[in-house]
Amino acid sequence: MAIKDQPRPPRARLVSNILLLLSSAFLLVNLFLPNLFGPRIPQVPYSLFIHQVQQQEVTSVYVGQNQIQYQLKGEDGKPGQVLSTTPIFDLELPKLLESKGVEFAAAPPPKNGWFTSLLGWVIPPLIFVAVYQFFARRGGFGGPQGALSITKSKARVYVEGESAKTTFKDVAGVEEAKTELVEIVEFLKTPERFTQIGARIPKGVLLVGPPGTGKTLLAKAVAGEAGVPFFSISGSEFVELFVGAGAARVRDLFEQAKKQAPCIIFIDELDAIGKSRSSNGFYGGNDEREQTLNQLLTEMDGFAAGSATVIVLAATNRPESLDPALLRPGRFDRQVLVDRPDLAGREAILKIHAQKVKLGADVDLRAIATRTPGFAGADLANLINEAALLAARNRREAVAQADLAEAIERVVAGLEKKSRVLNDKEKKIVAYHEVGHALVGYAMPGGGQVEKISIVPRGMAALGYTLQLPTEDRFLMDEAELRGQIATLLGGRSAEEIVFGSITTGAANDLQRATDLAERMVTTYGMSQVLGPLAYQQGQQAMFLGNEGANPRRMVSEQTAQDIDKEVKEIVETAHRQALDIIQQNRELLETIANQLLETEVIEGDKLHSLLNQVQPAHLLNNGSAKPIAAS
Ligand code: ADP
Ligand code: MG
Ligand code: ZN
């Protein structure tokens, strides 16, 4: 694929350079001219001037705004020396001068007045232009384009070369999205077929989905399949522009595109310009963004049906924040969901990216796909690359299954940071904490198989971690599994409580997640007997984008709010009791595993499984007292 920037006209660049030079030359001249060519007038203190006036040594005074020039009496009635002083604010001066019989007037126009004033008028704009050009050329707010066309569109045009063009074959795991976009490809290829019958070709298609799921890739694939030019620009590029420049760019972008129709305009991160205009009212609005947005709407409304086929694709991961005006008919009225891939999709994506690396005979991509639920396409591409890097580091000929397995962990938890050293006490606490998670996770349903416990710090925050991998893709969870997950999250803290009798700050994130989960059970999934099957949260559409915690509660009565709080607390506390119980039951096993962990830092695989097989189930689970949460 060839990426072409719009060529910058060399002449425009030359002109701008000359302008820059000229205007700085003028600036220098303007600053120093009076001193260079004007007579040098000695400067004296104001007090001396007043003194000389009072002594009647002064014949005439020119009072300027920034300077007073005056002439002393010379000998024998000849004109004397000319002096100057800097005025201070003195209303009495005219009176004084008058009383001493001094001739005075406002300052005369300077000798080379027309020239200086011309400079005064010409130079500021020139300087402005020069500075503007300077930034434009550095790319600060402008294009790589001709320096004189600072507002020109920065959109890159991808002209797909035959050899390396992106097509639907390069995208997997998003079958529904592909099906919908096939239609768009048809529109671009044979618009007549649709317009003949009088069908209106859609102008805007919004790709909605979490980051890394392949929205940009899909847009390119549509262009590739249809064989049309692809203009791409990112919404965030508009944000730092001067007022007005963003709108001009939108106009220019559409102009260029219309000339090349049929073609695709792709606006990435649409939410950066398309944020709801009402939502930022508190800060008095953002003029620039609003103008850019308005221009975009105008342009989209502008091209009439039946004329040039320009289809605007846009991508966002925050559809709920978009201005409703963008979603009206005739604008982005089609929305295509690009969600994270399921098991089969992940396997297909892995296959696509694995073509670029050498795979060993033992590689089983299906198994890798099974262990990576929740990964987006970009994460999977990253995983393959990490595995290839690992294989190269280990001087292997091809990527082995072990490389892929290790790459999963890298992608999940960030790179190993062996450099961060915990002291012995901390290490011990982390070890017991993680084993606590593992024991409860093993005993309770819902979390999947415990695959690894580690006290090697990883990434930014985690001091240790327990890796629980699901054995299959799950779309539904029942109440018992959710309760199991909450208990598992509390397992770390519970172990700390039992072993050390005190609590550290290390469990903050666990508690946060446990509480969120419990709140969702009550307010979203209707799993509380007290509150019944009602949804107490708003904005469900944001859920699939992974920011579940952020939904505000619906307006509820104070009584209901209290009930919710009580239920959430009850769920978390019950889970806590279960976790404590499980750990108490397995106190010796906890010691055994924690001590081993302190020695080896990591326990995984069969060794871990055989240890966890000795876990005794909890009392509370057996006698059934875990169930009736609301009753007690
Ligand atoms: P988004 O625009 O949704 O954030 P991108 O399209 O930029 O995601 O994806 C980044 C990269 O991840 C792509 O270039 C591609 O290599 C890989 N990728 C993402 N999704 C997919 C997919 N569904 N199929 C194949 N590769 C994908
Ligand atoms: Mg993208
Ligand atoms: Zn923890």
Side-chain angles (χ1 to χ4, degrees):
M1 176 175 59
I3 303 172
K4 282 202 306 194
D5 273 332
Q6 294 287 300
R8 173 196 299 197
R11 209 145 63 92
R13 193 185 201 174
L14 188 70
V15 170
S16 99
N17 279 341
I18 290 172
L19 271 183
L20 191 67
L21 254 173
L22 277 183
S23 55
S24 31
F26 275 134
L27 177 66
L28 283 174
V29 169
N30 197 28
L31 280 177
F32 297 112
L33 194 86
N35 292 345
L36 282 180
F37 302 111
R40 285 194 170 273
I41 301 171
Q43 184 90 26
V44 299
Y46 189 71
S47 57
L48 177 63
F49 162 64
I50 295 294
H51 179 75
Q52 285 170 332
V53 170
Q54 270 160 353
Q55 299 297 310
Q56 302 199 324
E57 292 167 13
V58 177
T59 54
S60 60
V61 177
Y62 293 122
V63 185
Q65 197 140 50
N66 302 315
Q67 207 186 35
I68 293 176
Q69 284 185 18
Y70 62 100
Q71 190 154 42
L72 295 178
K73 278 180 187 153
E75 279 150 37
D76 317 325
K78 280 186 205 155
Q81 205 185 355
V82 175
L83 296 174
S84 75
T85 185
T86 310
I88 59 174
F89 187 69
D90 185 357
L91 285 174
E92 300 297 307
L93 184 62
K95 257 186 223 159
L96 175 68
L97 293 175
E98 204 174 348
S99 69
K100 299 291 175 191
V102 182
E103 183 184 308
F104 67 98
K111 285 221 175 78
N112 44 8
W114 64 270
F115 188 56
T116 341
S117 59
L118 183 70
L119 289 181
W121 282 104
V122 169
I123 284 178
L126 277 180
I127 293 172
F128 189 71
V129 168
V131 170
Y132 210 81
Q133 295 301 336
F134 177 70
F135 280 109
R137 276 191 294 138
R138 298 220 329 202
F141 44 65
Q145 304 230 321
L148 286 176
S149 58
I150 37 170
T151 57
K152 277 273 162 68
S153 155
K154 194 187 176 185
R156 280 156 296 162
V157 189
Y158 295 82
V159 178
E160 299 283 330
E162 278 307 313
S163 55
K165 76 177 182 181
T166 310
T167 64
F168 283 146
K169 277 210 248 24
D170 300 311
V171 194
V174 283
E175 297 312 318
E176 291 104 300
K178 271 207 262 183
T179 320
E180 296 211 35
L181 290 173
V182 163
E183 207 185 354
I184 303 293
V185 173
E186 292 299 313
F187 290 146
L188 286 164
K189 269 185 170 163
T190 52
E192 321 81 51
R193 236 181 55 207
F194 298 89
T195 48
Q196 264 167 16
I197 320 179
R200 189 175 55 82
I201 291 178
K203 290 174 189 166
V205 179
L206 186 60
L207 303 172
V208 178
T213 45
K215 298 180 293 297
T216 310
L217 193 65
L218 272 170
K220 279 187 200 161
V222 171
E225 289 279 340
V228 301
F230 178 74
F231 292 80
S232 120
I233 193 158
S234 170
S236 59
E237 283 165 24
F238 287 110
V239 172
E240 286 165 24
L241 290 175
F242 279 156
V243 175
R249 257 206 219 162
V250 170
R251 202 178 313 131
D252 184 71
L253 174 62
F254 276 78
E255 222 145 77
Q256 283 185 44
K258 272 185 253 177
K259 278 182 213 148
Q260 303 233 25
C263 69
I264 286 180
I265 295 178
F266 177 60
I267 305 177
D268 211 348
E269 300 173 64
L270 180 66
D271 42 283
I273 36 171
K275 255 192 216 127
S276 174
R277 279 171 287 194
S278 58
S279 71
N280 58 16
F282 183 71
Y283 299 100
N286 177 333
D287 271 351
E288 170 56 12
R289 195 170 57 217
E290 219 160 278
Q291 286 191 20
T292 309
L293 174 58
N294 286 337
Q295 188 63 38
L296 179 64
L297 297 177
T298 313
E299 293 291 344
M300 288 195 71
D301 293 344
F303 46 86
S307 68
T309 317
V310 178
I311 292 186
V312 187
L313 297 181
T316 181
N317 49 18
R318 306 173 52 206
E320 72 285 350
S321 76
L322 288 182
D323 197 299
L326 274 168
L327 308 177
R328 275 197 212 125
R331 295 167 182 169
F332 292 104
D333 47 4
R334 291 208 171 193
Q335 296 196 20
V336 174
L337 179 61
V338 187
D339 210 348
R340 294 199 179 89
D342 62 5
L343 177 59
R346 291 197 301 273
E347 191 183 353
I349 294 172
L350 284 170
K351 270 190 189 141
I352 288 175
H353 290 281
Q355 285 165 6
K356 294 171 206 150
V357 302
K358 268 193 214 154
L359 288 189
D362 69 331
V363 169
D364 178 1
L365 291 179
R366 177 87 185 177
I368 299 299
T370 312
R371 295 179 60 182
T372 48
F375 276 39
D379 301 326
L380 294 168
N382 187 13
L383 187 154
I384 296 280
N385 191 49
E386 282 286 345
L389 289 174
L390 282 169
R393 199 172 305 155
N394 296 331
R395 311 214 177 279
R396 269 197 271 276
E397 293 282 291
V399 176
Q401 188 76 353
D403 297 322
L404 287 163
E406 194 174 342
I408 295 180
E409 285 169 32
R410 283 183 184 236
V411 178
V412 167
L415 287 170
E416 286 205 26
K417 282 220 177 65
K418 297 223 175 189
S419 56
R420 182 163 3 175
V421 191
L422 295 177
N423 70 31
D424 284 348
K425 175 100 205 277
E426 286 170 331
K427 221 166 163 179
K428 206 169 156 194
I429 294 172
V430 173
Y432 280 94
H433 179 107
E434 296 304 332
V435 177
H437 282 308
L439 292 177
V440 181
Y442 181 87
M444 298 289 286
Q449 199 163 8
V450 182
E451 286 290 346
K452 181 170 182 173
I453 318 176
S454 160
I455 53 170
V456 179
R458 279 174 175 249
M460 292 306 291
L463 296 175
Y465 71 96
T466 304
L467 189 67
Q468 257 184 313
L469 291 175
T471 41
E472 59 191 338
D473 239 19
R474 294 299 304 273
F475 294 104
L476 291 173
M477 289 252 180
D478 65 26
E479 187 183 336
E481 287 172 325
L482 289 174
R483 287 180 186 275
Q485 285 195 345
I486 296 173
T488 305
L489 284 166
L490 294 169
R493 176 200 156 105
S494 304
E496 286 185 47
E497 277 173 79
I498 289 174
V499 176
F500 301 99
S502 67
I503 299 155
T504 64
T505 53
N509 181 259
D510 297 335
L511 299 188
Q512 184 75 49
R513 285 165 59 195
T515 312
D516 284 352
L517 208 52
E519 181 159 345
R520 262 186 288 149
M521 284 176 68
V522 176
T523 60
T524 308
Y525 306 139
M527 286 177 179
S528 151
Q529 266 134 41
V530 173
L531 289 146
L534 271 72
Y536 293 96
Q537 272 180 338
Q538 296 178 331
Q540 295 309 309
Q541 63 174 4
M543 298 287 289
F544 76 94
L545 296 170
N547 44 0
E548 296 99 333
N551 288 333
R553 272 188 200 174
R554 206 179 279 283
M555 295 288 278
V556 292
S557 70
E558 200 164 311
Q559 180 60 48
T560 309
Q562 280 177 10
D563 286 348
I564 292 176
D565 291 343
K566 218 167 116 197
E567 277 289 277
V568 170
K569 190 158 179 243
E570 189 61 47
I571 290 176
V572 174
E573 280 180 350
T574 307
H576 188 201
R577 280 198 301 276
Q578 288 175 332
L580 285 171
D581 184 49
I582 290 167
I583 288 167
Q584 217 100 51
Q585 284 292 307
N586 297 281
R587 188 71 173 79
E588 270 169 36
L589 190 57
L590 174 68
E591 289 292 337
T592 315
I593 303 180
N595 283 327
Q596 276 198 28
L597 188 57
L598 281 167
E599 249 169 55
T600 58
E601 297 207 330
V602 176
I603 307 179
E604 61 188 325
D606 292 341
K607 194 171 167 198
L608 181 60
H609 294 158
S610 69
L611 284 167
L612 289 175
N613 277 338
Q614 305 167 35
V615 169
Q616 303 290 315
H619 276 150
L620 285 172
L621 281 180
N622 293 341
N623 63 24
S625 62
K627 269 273 153 180
I629 303 295
S632 67

